[in-house]
PDB file of all heavy atoms in Angstrom:
ATOM      1  N   ASN A 143     -17.677 -17.361  15.521  1.00 79.00           N
ATOM      2  CA  ASN A 143     -16.725 -18.266  16.214  1.00 79.00           C
ATOM      3  C   ASN A 143     -15.539 -17.461  16.391  1.00 79.00           C
ATOM      4  O   ASN A 143     -14.652 -17.209  15.546  1.00 79.00           O
ATOM      5  CB  ASN A 143     -16.413 -19.377  15.163  1.00 79.00           C
ATOM      6  CG  ASN A 143     -15.411 -20.256  15.734  1.00 79.00           C
ATOM      7  OD1 ASN A 143     -14.865 -20.260  16.872  1.00 79.00           O
ATOM      8  ND2 ASN A 143     -15.003 -21.288  14.911  1.00 79.00           N
ATOM      9  N   TYR A 144     -15.364 -17.014  17.613  1.00 78.00           N
ATOM     10  CA  TYR A 144     -14.267 -16.202  18.093  1.00 78.00           C
ATOM     11  C   TYR A 144     -12.902 -16.938  18.045  1.00 78.00           C
ATOM     12  O   TYR A 144     -11.915 -16.317  17.960  1.00 78.00           O
ATOM     13  CB  TYR A 144     -14.420 -15.669  19.444  1.00 78.00           C
ATOM     14  CG  TYR A 144     -15.390 -14.630  19.450  1.00 78.00           C
ATOM     15  CD1 TYR A 144     -16.841 -14.859  19.856  1.00 78.00           C
ATOM     16  CD2 TYR A 144     -15.280 -13.314  19.041  1.00 78.00           C
ATOM     17  CE1 TYR A 144     -17.858 -14.032  19.960  1.00 78.00           C
ATOM     18  CE2 TYR A 144     -16.293 -12.380  19.017  1.00 78.00           C
ATOM     19  CZ  TYR A 144     -17.639 -12.742  19.361  1.00 78.00           C
ATOM     20  OH  TYR A 144     -18.577 -11.762  19.464  1.00 78.00           O
ATOM     21  N   ASN A 145     -12.937 -18.272  18.025  1.00 81.00           N
ATOM     22  CA  ASN A 145     -11.733 -19.078  17.846  1.00 81.00           C
ATOM     23  C   ASN A 145     -11.151 -19.054  16.468  1.00 81.00           C
ATOM     24  O   ASN A 145      -9.923 -19.381  16.192  1.00 81.00           O
ATOM     25  CB  ASN A 145     -11.923 -20.529  18.216  1.00 81.00           C
ATOM     26  CG  ASN A 145     -12.253 -20.645  19.745  1.00 81.00           C
ATOM     27  OD1 ASN A 145     -11.819 -19.879  20.597  1.00 81.00           O
ATOM     28  ND2 ASN A 145     -13.211 -21.629  20.017  1.00 81.00           N
ATOM     29  N   ASP A 146     -11.955 -18.669  15.543  1.00 80.00           N
ATOM     30  CA  ASP A 146     -11.482 -18.542  14.127  1.00 80.00           C
ATOM     31  C   ASP A 146     -11.781 -17.149  13.636  1.00 80.00           C
ATOM     32  O   ASP A 146     -12.634 -16.999  12.755  1.00 80.00           O
ATOM     33  CB  ASP A 146     -12.186 -19.675  13.264  1.00 80.00           C
ATOM     34  CG  ASP A 146     -11.527 -19.782  11.794  1.00 80.00           C
ATOM     35  OD1 ASP A 146     -10.479 -18.976  11.627  1.00 80.00           O
ATOM     36  OD2 ASP A 146     -12.131 -20.444  10.935  1.00 80.00           O
ATOM     37  N   TRP A 147     -11.370 -16.159  14.398  1.00 75.00           N
ATOM     38  CA  TRP A 147     -11.669 -14.664  14.111  1.00 75.00           C
ATOM     39  C   TRP A 147     -11.306 -14.238  12.659  1.00 75.00           C
ATOM     40  O   TRP A 147     -11.834 -13.532  12.026  1.00 75.00           O
ATOM     41  CB  TRP A 147     -11.061 -13.843  15.133  1.00 75.00           C
ATOM     42  CG  TRP A 147     -11.373 -12.319  14.823  1.00 75.00           C
ATOM     43  CD1 TRP A 147     -10.611 -11.349  14.589  1.00 75.00           C
ATOM     44  CD2 TRP A 147     -12.684 -11.805  14.727  1.00 75.00           C
ATOM     45  NE1 TRP A 147     -11.276 -10.137  14.420  1.00 75.00           N
ATOM     46  CE2 TRP A 147     -12.681 -10.426  14.527  1.00 75.00           C
ATOM     47  CE3 TRP A 147     -14.059 -12.421  14.962  1.00 75.00           C
ATOM     48  CZ2 TRP A 147     -13.706  -9.666  14.335  1.00 75.00           C
ATOM     49  CZ3 TRP A 147     -15.156 -11.498  14.820  1.00 75.00           C
ATOM     50  CH2 TRP A 147     -14.933 -10.155  14.493  1.00 75.00           C
ATOM     51  N   THR A 148     -10.118 -14.790  12.152  1.00 76.00           N
ATOM     52  CA  THR A 148      -9.725 -14.396  10.737  1.00 76.00           C
ATOM     53  C   THR A 148     -10.887 -14.784   9.700  1.00 76.00           C
ATOM     54  O   THR A 148     -11.206 -13.845   8.879  1.00 76.00           O
ATOM     55  CB  THR A 148      -8.450 -15.121  10.394  1.00 76.00           C
ATOM     56  OG1 THR A 148      -7.354 -14.917  11.366  1.00 76.00           O
ATOM     57  CG2 THR A 148      -8.103 -14.734   9.035  1.00 76.00           C
ATOM     58  N   TYR A 149     -11.387 -15.878   9.828  1.00 77.00           N
ATOM     59  CA  TYR A 149     -12.587 -16.303   8.911  1.00 77.00           C
ATOM     60  C   TYR A 149     -13.665 -15.538   9.172  1.00 77.00           C
ATOM     61  O   TYR A 149     -14.318 -14.914   8.322  1.00 77.00           O
ATOM     62  CB  TYR A 149     -12.831 -17.737   9.115  1.00 77.00           C
ATOM     63  CG  TYR A 149     -14.078 -18.156   8.305  1.00 77.00           C
ATOM     64  CD1 TYR A 149     -14.073 -18.216   6.987  1.00 77.00           C
ATOM     65  CD2 TYR A 149     -15.327 -18.380   9.042  1.00 77.00           C
ATOM     66  CE1 TYR A 149     -15.198 -18.584   6.276  1.00 77.00           C
ATOM     67  CE2 TYR A 149     -16.412 -18.627   8.425  1.00 77.00           C
ATOM     68  CZ  TYR A 149     -16.364 -18.692   7.037  1.00 77.00           C
ATOM     69  OH  TYR A 149     -17.646 -19.098   6.460  1.00 77.00           O
ATOM     70  N   GLU A 150     -14.019 -15.373  10.387  1.00 75.00           N
ATOM     71  CA  GLU A 150     -15.290 -14.599  10.848  1.00 75.00           C
ATOM     72  C   GLU A 150     -15.270 -13.224  10.440  1.00 75.00           C
ATOM     73  O   GLU A 150     -16.201 -12.603   9.922  1.00 75.00           O
ATOM     74  CB  GLU A 150     -15.541 -14.689  12.390  1.00 75.00           C
ATOM     75  CG  GLU A 150     -15.889 -16.130  12.820  1.00 75.00           C
ATOM     76  CD  GLU A 150     -17.246 -16.604  12.219  1.00 75.00           C
ATOM     77  OE1 GLU A 150     -18.128 -15.823  11.918  1.00 75.00           O
ATOM     78  OE2 GLU A 150     -17.443 -17.870  12.176  1.00 75.00           O
ATOM     79  N   SER A 151     -14.115 -12.544  10.627  1.00 75.00           N
ATOM     80  CA  SER A 151     -14.001 -11.111  10.251  1.00 75.00           C
ATOM     81  C   SER A 151     -14.046 -10.898   8.830  1.00 75.00           C
ATOM     82  O   SER A 151     -14.651  -9.959   8.326  1.00 75.00           O
ATOM     83  CB  SER A 151     -12.651 -10.560  10.893  1.00 75.00           C
ATOM     84  OG  SER A 151     -11.654 -11.052  10.261  1.00 75.00           O
ATOM     85  N   THR A 152     -13.536 -11.895   8.052  1.00 77.00           N
ATOM     86  CA  THR A 152     -13.653 -11.870   6.649  1.00 77.00           C
ATOM     87  C   THR A 152     -15.080 -12.051   6.145  1.00 77.00           C
ATOM     88  O   THR A 152     -15.495 -11.300   5.197  1.00 77.00           O
ATOM     89  CB  THR A 152     -12.699 -12.834   5.907  1.00 77.00           C
ATOM     90  OG1 THR A 152     -11.347 -12.516   6.488  1.00 77.00           O
ATOM     91  CG2 THR A 152     -12.755 -12.732   4.392  1.00 77.00           C
ATOM     92  N   ARG A 153     -15.761 -12.842   6.710  1.00 77.00           N
ATOM     93  CA  ARG A 153     -17.084 -13.241   6.492  1.00 77.00           C
ATOM     94  C   ARG A 153     -18.020 -11.942   6.639  1.00 77.00           C
ATOM     95  O   ARG A 153     -18.900 -11.666   5.838  1.00 77.00           O
ATOM     96  CB  ARG A 153     -17.658 -14.393   7.343  1.00 77.00           C
ATOM     97  CG  ARG A 153     -19.168 -14.726   7.029  1.00 77.00           C
ATOM     98  CD  ARG A 153     -19.407 -16.081   7.735  1.00 77.00           C
ATOM     99  NE  ARG A 153     -19.505 -15.812   9.281  1.00 77.00           N
ATOM    100  CZ  ARG A 153     -20.540 -16.146   9.934  1.00 77.00           C
ATOM    101  NH1 ARG A 153     -21.639 -16.581   9.449  1.00 77.00           N
ATOM    102  NH2 ARG A 153     -20.507 -15.952  11.336  1.00 77.00           N
ATOM    103  N   LEU A 154     -17.773 -11.254   7.655  1.00 77.00           N
ATOM    104  CA  LEU A 154     -18.519 -10.011   8.009  1.00 77.00           C
ATOM    105  C   LEU A 154     -18.178  -8.871   6.934  1.00 77.00           C
ATOM    106  O   LEU A 154     -18.950  -7.874   7.121  1.00 77.00           O
ATOM    107  CB  LEU A 154     -18.262  -9.509   9.437  1.00 77.00           C
ATOM    108  CG  LEU A 154     -18.792 -10.461  10.570  1.00 77.00           C
ATOM    109  CD1 LEU A 154     -18.237  -9.929  11.913  1.00 77.00           C
ATOM    110  CD2 LEU A 154     -20.269 -10.513  10.355  1.00 77.00           C
ATOM    111  N   MET A 155     -17.270  -9.071   6.127  1.00 80.00           N
ATOM    112  CA  MET A 155     -16.808  -7.964   5.165  1.00 80.00           C
ATOM    113  C   MET A 155     -17.641  -8.161   3.914  1.00 80.00           C
ATOM    114  O   MET A 155     -17.292  -7.504   2.978  1.00 80.00           O
ATOM    115  CB  MET A 155     -15.327  -8.011   4.931  1.00 80.00           C
ATOM    116  CG  MET A 155     -14.544  -7.558   6.061  1.00 80.00           C
ATOM    117  SD  MET A 155     -12.808  -7.595   5.668  1.00 80.00           S
ATOM    118  CE  MET A 155     -12.097  -7.602   7.289  1.00 80.00           C
TER     119      MET A 155
END
Side-chain angles (χ1 to χ4, degrees):
N143 178 3
Y144 292 98
N145 294 325
D146 192 6
W147 180 241
T148 302
Y149 169 76
E150 292 294 334
S151 63
T152 304
R153 181 172 68 125
L154 291 173
M155 292 179 200

